[in-house]
Amino acid sequence: KRGREEKRIACWTRSAINMATKTKKKATKKSGAKKAASVKSKIKKKTAKGSQKGDGLGSVNARAKNAKWFTSILPTGGLSLGLGSLAKSKVKKSVLDYEEYHKFENGKAVNQSKAKGKYADMVNKYYDLATSFYEYAWGDCFHFAHRLKGETLRESIKRHEHFLASKFTKNLKTKKGERPLVLDVGCGIGGPAREISSFCGVDVVGLNNNAYQVERAKTITTAKREAAKAAIAGAPSTVLGNCDFVKGDFMKMPFEDNSFDAAYAIEATCHAPKAVDIYKEMLRVVKPGGYVAIYEWCLTDKYDPKNEAHKVFKNQIEVGNGLPDIRTTKECKQAMIKAGFQMVEDIDLADCSPVPWYEPLYPTQGYFSSIEALSSLKSSPVGAKVTHGLCWVLETMRLAPKGTTRVSSVLQKGAIGLIESGKVNAFTPMYLLVGRKPSK
């Protein structure tokens, strides 16, 4: 009789534990949902008058399909699909229109004023065409990094992001129980935003004017959250980071003044037609006393505007990376000061990188010199040629849209320009600018 009673008690105890566990999971799930919603509620939006939508030939249906069926096995976004927000039939026209912005004749970019005037359309066309290629070769973080010897590309990218975050998070102050709200200007598909949010314990809002990239950012973030459900059950959702993504023109940001505790940009403000104008917008949306940190693409003092070879690689970088015009380090620093920032720091990290920043594009010690070199094979010249050949085969078989191989050629041209400029130290993708918004 006593044995039956003990079994009954043990059974009841197990049931109670199971119920408590289920209740905890539900409560955690709800609190996570509330937390995710709270990021949106913290965003103070406004109507941005005069901003450029720049959606070009894209469509909602094409964007949804391409984002859903993207596969990292192929550079084309998926078999028999289009690219970015573009349907299959629109790709060739888009790449031809894009190339027209960067027409280069007699050592001069003849349509530069047009590229600046219609920057949103030009940049959107570029990222609709290029994003699948980037994600195929680089994962979810589309940027270079200060790299140490023996460090993989992925490790250096994360450290590069953490270093930037250290520049704008060290003095963050918020009310008790609140997390700082940080803006990622030109967030790509959200890789750095997710990393910085989880690493620094801040809520990040990613701003991007390319609808396809916003869609991918949300899709990837949701997938990562689903994959981390087991961890959420045992830890607060804040440990895993909290991000939201907004479509908008960074020259006319859809946010009220003083909305964010800090802001950053990683190789994104180089797409702006005027540096001072994008910096002014970042200053406007950050709270007084807040910090802004930027990795900027710049020409260095080694660039010679009279050297024909230098003119060529400058144009190659612009056409291959969606830039209206590359600015110098001096111009960017002056623009930051003119925008109203108190300059805190500026340094070209390429000058102190033990491994050349262009190593992912051109392994300087050979492709088989190390595991680190092999990890960059997809983005290297050899990898680019293999990708180009694969695009040609898929396009010939009508499994990729017409114009895909041409997109590959544009990106190869950009890579050549980056490599050649890097070899002579005439260009840097990691000029660090740190500014503080005056308290009054």
PDB file of all heavy atoms in Angstrom, residues 256-274:
ATOM      1  N   GLU A 256      12.238  60.521 -35.952  1.00  0.00           N
ATOM      2  CA  GLU A 256      12.207  61.833 -35.323  1.00  0.00           C
ATOM      3  C   GLU A 256      13.595  62.193 -34.789  1.00  0.00           C
ATOM      4  O   GLU A 256      14.451  61.329 -34.619  1.00  0.00           O
ATOM      5  CB  GLU A 256      11.187  61.845 -34.183  1.00  0.00           C
ATOM      6  CG  GLU A 256       9.741  61.738 -34.642  1.00  0.00           C
ATOM      7  CD  GLU A 256       8.757  61.799 -33.489  1.00  0.00           C
ATOM      8  OE1 GLU A 256       9.198  62.013 -32.337  1.00  0.00           O
ATOM      9  OE2 GLU A 256       7.551  61.637 -33.742  1.00  0.00           O
ATOM     10  N   ASP A 257      13.800  63.472 -34.505  1.00  0.00           N
ATOM     11  CA  ASP A 257      15.062  63.930 -33.924  1.00  0.00           C
ATOM     12  C   ASP A 257      15.310  63.228 -32.582  1.00  0.00           C
ATOM     13  O   ASP A 257      14.367  62.926 -31.843  1.00  0.00           O
ATOM     14  CB  ASP A 257      15.031  65.441 -33.691  1.00  0.00           C
ATOM     15  CG  ASP A 257      14.872  66.239 -34.981  1.00  0.00           C
ATOM     16  OD1 ASP A 257      14.869  65.620 -36.059  1.00  0.00           O
ATOM     17  OD2 ASP A 257      14.733  67.476 -34.903  1.00  0.00           O
ATOM     18  N   ASN A 258      16.586  62.994 -32.279  1.00  0.00           N
ATOM     19  CA  ASN A 258      16.994  62.467 -30.966  1.00  0.00           C
ATOM     20  C   ASN A 258      16.314  61.134 -30.619  1.00  0.00           C
ATOM     21  O   ASN A 258      15.923  60.906 -29.477  1.00  0.00           O
ATOM     22  CB  ASN A 258      16.696  63.497 -29.856  1.00  0.00           C
ATOM     23  CG  ASN A 258      17.259  64.866 -30.179  1.00  0.00           C
ATOM     24  OD1 ASN A 258      18.360  64.993 -30.721  1.00  0.00           O
ATOM     25  ND2 ASN A 258      16.516  65.907 -29.856  1.00  0.00           N
ATOM     26  N   SER A 259      16.180  60.256 -31.594  1.00  0.00           N
ATOM     27  CA  SER A 259      15.490  58.976 -31.386  1.00  0.00           C
ATOM     28  C   SER A 259      16.401  57.872 -30.841  1.00  0.00           C
ATOM     29  O   SER A 259      15.928  56.944 -30.185  1.00  0.00           O
ATOM     30  CB  SER A 259      14.880  58.484 -32.701  1.00  0.00           C
ATOM     31  OG  SER A 259      13.852  59.325 -33.133  1.00  0.00           O
ATOM     32  N   PHE A 260      17.713  57.954 -31.117  1.00  0.00           N
ATOM     33  CA  PHE A 260      18.613  56.845 -30.793  1.00  0.00           C
ATOM     34  C   PHE A 260      19.709  57.262 -29.821  1.00  0.00           C
ATOM     35  O   PHE A 260      20.160  58.406 -29.817  1.00  0.00           O
ATOM     36  CB  PHE A 260      19.238  56.301 -32.079  1.00  0.00           C
ATOM     37  CG  PHE A 260      18.232  55.759 -33.057  1.00  0.00           C
ATOM     38  CD1 PHE A 260      17.685  56.571 -34.042  1.00  0.00           C
ATOM     39  CD2 PHE A 260      17.804  54.444 -32.972  1.00  0.00           C
ATOM     40  CE1 PHE A 260      16.740  56.081 -34.934  1.00  0.00           C
ATOM     41  CE2 PHE A 260      16.857  53.941 -33.859  1.00  0.00           C
ATOM     42  CZ  PHE A 260      16.326  54.764 -34.833  1.00  0.00           C
ATOM     43  N   ASP A 261      20.137  56.292 -29.028  1.00  0.00           N
ATOM     44  CA  ASP A 261      21.214  56.543 -28.062  1.00  0.00           C
ATOM     45  C   ASP A 261      22.578  56.600 -28.746  1.00  0.00           C
ATOM     46  O   ASP A 261      23.509  57.221 -28.241  1.00  0.00           O
ATOM     47  CB  ASP A 261      21.213  55.451 -26.988  1.00  0.00           C
ATOM     48  CG  ASP A 261      19.923  55.448 -26.176  1.00  0.00           C
ATOM     49  OD1 ASP A 261      19.671  56.441 -25.475  1.00  0.00           O
ATOM     50  OD2 ASP A 261      19.163  54.469 -26.278  1.00  0.00           O
ATOM     51  N   ALA A 262      22.691  55.932 -29.884  1.00  0.00           N
ATOM     52  CA  ALA A 262      23.942  55.917 -30.654  1.00  0.00           C
ATOM     53  C   ALA A 262      23.631  55.419 -32.058  1.00  0.00           C
ATOM     54  O   ALA A 262      22.529  54.947 -32.328  1.00  0.00           O
ATOM     55  CB  ALA A 262      24.982  55.030 -29.983  1.00  0.00           C
ATOM     56  N   ALA A 263      24.618  55.532 -32.946  1.00  0.00           N
ATOM     57  CA  ALA A 263      24.436  55.052 -34.319  1.00  0.00           C
ATOM     58  C   ALA A 263      25.781  54.621 -34.886  1.00  0.00           C
ATOM     59  O   ALA A 263      26.841  55.070 -34.435  1.00  0.00           O
ATOM     60  CB  ALA A 263      23.815  56.141 -35.196  1.00  0.00           C
ATOM     61  N   TYR A 264      25.724  53.746 -35.880  1.00  0.00           N
ATOM     62  CA  TYR A 264      26.944  53.311 -36.550  1.00  0.00           C
ATOM     63  C   TYR A 264      26.642  52.981 -38.007  1.00  0.00           C
ATOM     64  O   TYR A 264      25.475  52.801 -38.396  1.00  0.00           O
ATOM     65  CB  TYR A 264      27.569  52.096 -35.847  1.00  0.00           C
ATOM     66  CG  TYR A 264      26.765  50.827 -35.943  1.00  0.00           C
ATOM     67  CD1 TYR A 264      26.977  49.911 -36.979  1.00  0.00           C
ATOM     68  CD2 TYR A 264      25.792  50.518 -34.997  1.00  0.00           C
ATOM     69  CE1 TYR A 264      26.234  48.738 -37.065  1.00  0.00           C
ATOM     70  CE2 TYR A 264      25.053  49.341 -35.073  1.00  0.00           C
ATOM     71  CZ  TYR A 264      25.280  48.462 -36.108  1.00  0.00           C
ATOM     72  OH  TYR A 264      24.546  47.304 -36.197  1.00  0.00           O
ATOM     73  N   ALA A 265      27.686  52.905 -38.806  1.00  0.00           N
ATOM     74  CA  ALA A 265      27.567  52.511 -40.210  1.00  0.00           C
ATOM     75  C   ALA A 265      28.824  51.748 -40.593  1.00  0.00           C
ATOM     76  O   ALA A 265      29.935  52.174 -40.267  1.00  0.00           O
ATOM     77  CB  ALA A 265      27.392  53.733 -41.108  1.00  0.00           C
ATOM     78  N   ILE A 266      28.632  50.628 -41.276  1.00  0.00           N
ATOM     79  CA  ILE A 266      29.765  49.808 -41.719  1.00  0.00           C
ATOM     80  C   ILE A 266      29.784  49.756 -43.234  1.00  0.00           C
ATOM     81  O   ILE A 266      28.938  49.107 -43.856  1.00  0.00           O
ATOM     82  CB  ILE A 266      29.669  48.385 -41.132  1.00  0.00           C
ATOM     83  CG1 ILE A 266      29.674  48.433 -39.602  1.00  0.00           C
ATOM     84  CG2 ILE A 266      30.826  47.521 -41.643  1.00  0.00           C
ATOM     85  CD1 ILE A 266      29.538  47.078 -38.935  1.00  0.00           C
ATOM     86  N   GLU A 267      30.708  50.491 -43.833  1.00  0.00           N
ATOM     87  CA  GLU A 267      30.895  50.507 -45.286  1.00  0.00           C
ATOM     88  C   GLU A 267      29.581  50.784 -46.025  1.00  0.00           C
ATOM     89  O   GLU A 267      29.274  50.143 -47.026  1.00  0.00           O
ATOM     90  CB  GLU A 267      31.505  49.176 -45.750  1.00  0.00           C
ATOM     91  CG  GLU A 267      32.845  48.880 -45.101  1.00  0.00           C
ATOM     92  CD  GLU A 267      33.480  47.573 -45.569  1.00  0.00           C
ATOM     93  OE1 GLU A 267      33.058  47.048 -46.619  1.00  0.00           O
ATOM     94  OE2 GLU A 267      34.402  47.076 -44.886  1.00  0.00           O
ATOM     95  N   ALA A 268      28.797  51.730 -45.521  1.00  0.00           N
ATOM     96  CA  ALA A 268      27.488  52.026 -46.106  1.00  0.00           C
ATOM     97  C   ALA A 268      27.335  53.486 -46.519  1.00  0.00           C
ATOM     98  O   ALA A 268      26.731  53.780 -47.553  1.00  0.00           O
ATOM     99  CB  ALA A 268      26.383  51.660 -45.112  1.00  0.00           C
ATOM    100  N   THR A 269      27.871  54.401 -45.733  1.00  0.00           N
ATOM    101  CA  THR A 269      27.699  55.825 -46.034  1.00  0.00           C
ATOM    102  C   THR A 269      28.461  56.243 -47.295  1.00  0.00           C
ATOM    103  O   THR A 269      28.236  57.328 -47.821  1.00  0.00           O
ATOM    104  CB  THR A 269      28.152  56.695 -44.843  1.00  0.00           C
ATOM    105  OG1 THR A 269      29.447  56.272 -44.402  1.00  0.00           O
ATOM    106  CG2 THR A 269      27.178  56.559 -43.682  1.00  0.00           C
ATOM    107  N   CYS A 270      29.313  55.370 -47.793  1.00  0.00           N
ATOM    108  CA  CYS A 270      30.024  55.636 -49.052  1.00  0.00           C
ATOM    109  C   CYS A 270      29.049  55.690 -50.234  1.00  0.00           C
ATOM    110  O   CYS A 270      29.375  56.222 -51.297  1.00  0.00           O
ATOM    111  CB  CYS A 270      31.082  54.576 -49.312  1.00  0.00           C
ATOM    112  SG  CYS A 270      30.476  52.869 -49.158  1.00  0.00           S
ATOM    113  N   HIS A 271      27.833  55.161 -50.055  1.00  0.00           N
ATOM    114  CA  HIS A 271      26.813  55.197 -51.114  1.00  0.00           C
ATOM    115  C   HIS A 271      26.102  56.550 -51.184  1.00  0.00           C
ATOM    116  O   HIS A 271      25.348  56.804 -52.132  1.00  0.00           O
ATOM    117  CB  HIS A 271      25.768  54.104 -50.880  1.00  0.00           C
ATOM    118  CG  HIS A 271      26.295  52.715 -51.020  1.00  0.00           C
ATOM    119  ND1 HIS A 271      26.756  52.202 -52.220  1.00  0.00           N
ATOM    120  CD2 HIS A 271      26.441  51.713 -50.123  1.00  0.00           C
ATOM    121  CE1 HIS A 271      27.154  50.958 -52.046  1.00  0.00           C
ATOM    122  NE2 HIS A 271      26.979  50.633 -50.783  1.00  0.00           N
ATOM    123  N   ALA A 272      26.305  57.394 -50.196  1.00  0.00           N
ATOM    124  CA  ALA A 272      25.625  58.691 -50.154  1.00  0.00           C
ATOM    125  C   ALA A 272      26.227  59.649 -51.184  1.00  0.00           C
ATOM    126  O   ALA A 272      27.444  59.663 -51.383  1.00  0.00           O
ATOM    127  CB  ALA A 272      25.741  59.309 -48.765  1.00  0.00           C
ATOM    128  N   PRO A 273      25.398  60.481 -51.829  1.00  0.00           N
ATOM    129  CA  PRO A 273      25.927  61.433 -52.807  1.00  0.00           C
ATOM    130  C   PRO A 273      26.790  62.520 -52.169  1.00  0.00           C
ATOM    131  O   PRO A 273      27.724  63.017 -52.773  1.00  0.00           O
ATOM    132  CB  PRO A 273      24.662  62.022 -53.446  1.00  0.00           C
ATOM    133  CG  PRO A 273      23.581  61.801 -52.448  1.00  0.00           C
ATOM    134  CD  PRO A 273      23.928  60.524 -51.751  1.00  0.00           C
ATOM    135  N   LYS A 274      26.473  62.886 -50.910  1.00  0.00           N
ATOM    136  CA  LYS A 274      27.245  63.894 -50.179  1.00  0.00           C
ATOM    137  C   LYS A 274      27.500  63.414 -48.758  1.00  0.00           C
ATOM    138  O   LYS A 274      26.556  63.118 -48.027  1.00  0.00           O
ATOM    139  CB  LYS A 274      26.507  65.232 -50.151  1.00  0.00           C
ATOM    140  CG  LYS A 274      26.431  65.935 -51.493  1.00  0.00           C
ATOM    141  CD  LYS A 274      25.762  67.297 -51.352  1.00  0.00           C
ATOM    142  CE  LYS A 274      25.689  68.028 -52.687  1.00  0.00           C
ATOM    143  NZ  LYS A 274      25.038  69.354 -52.548  1.00  0.00           N
TER     144      LYS A 274
END
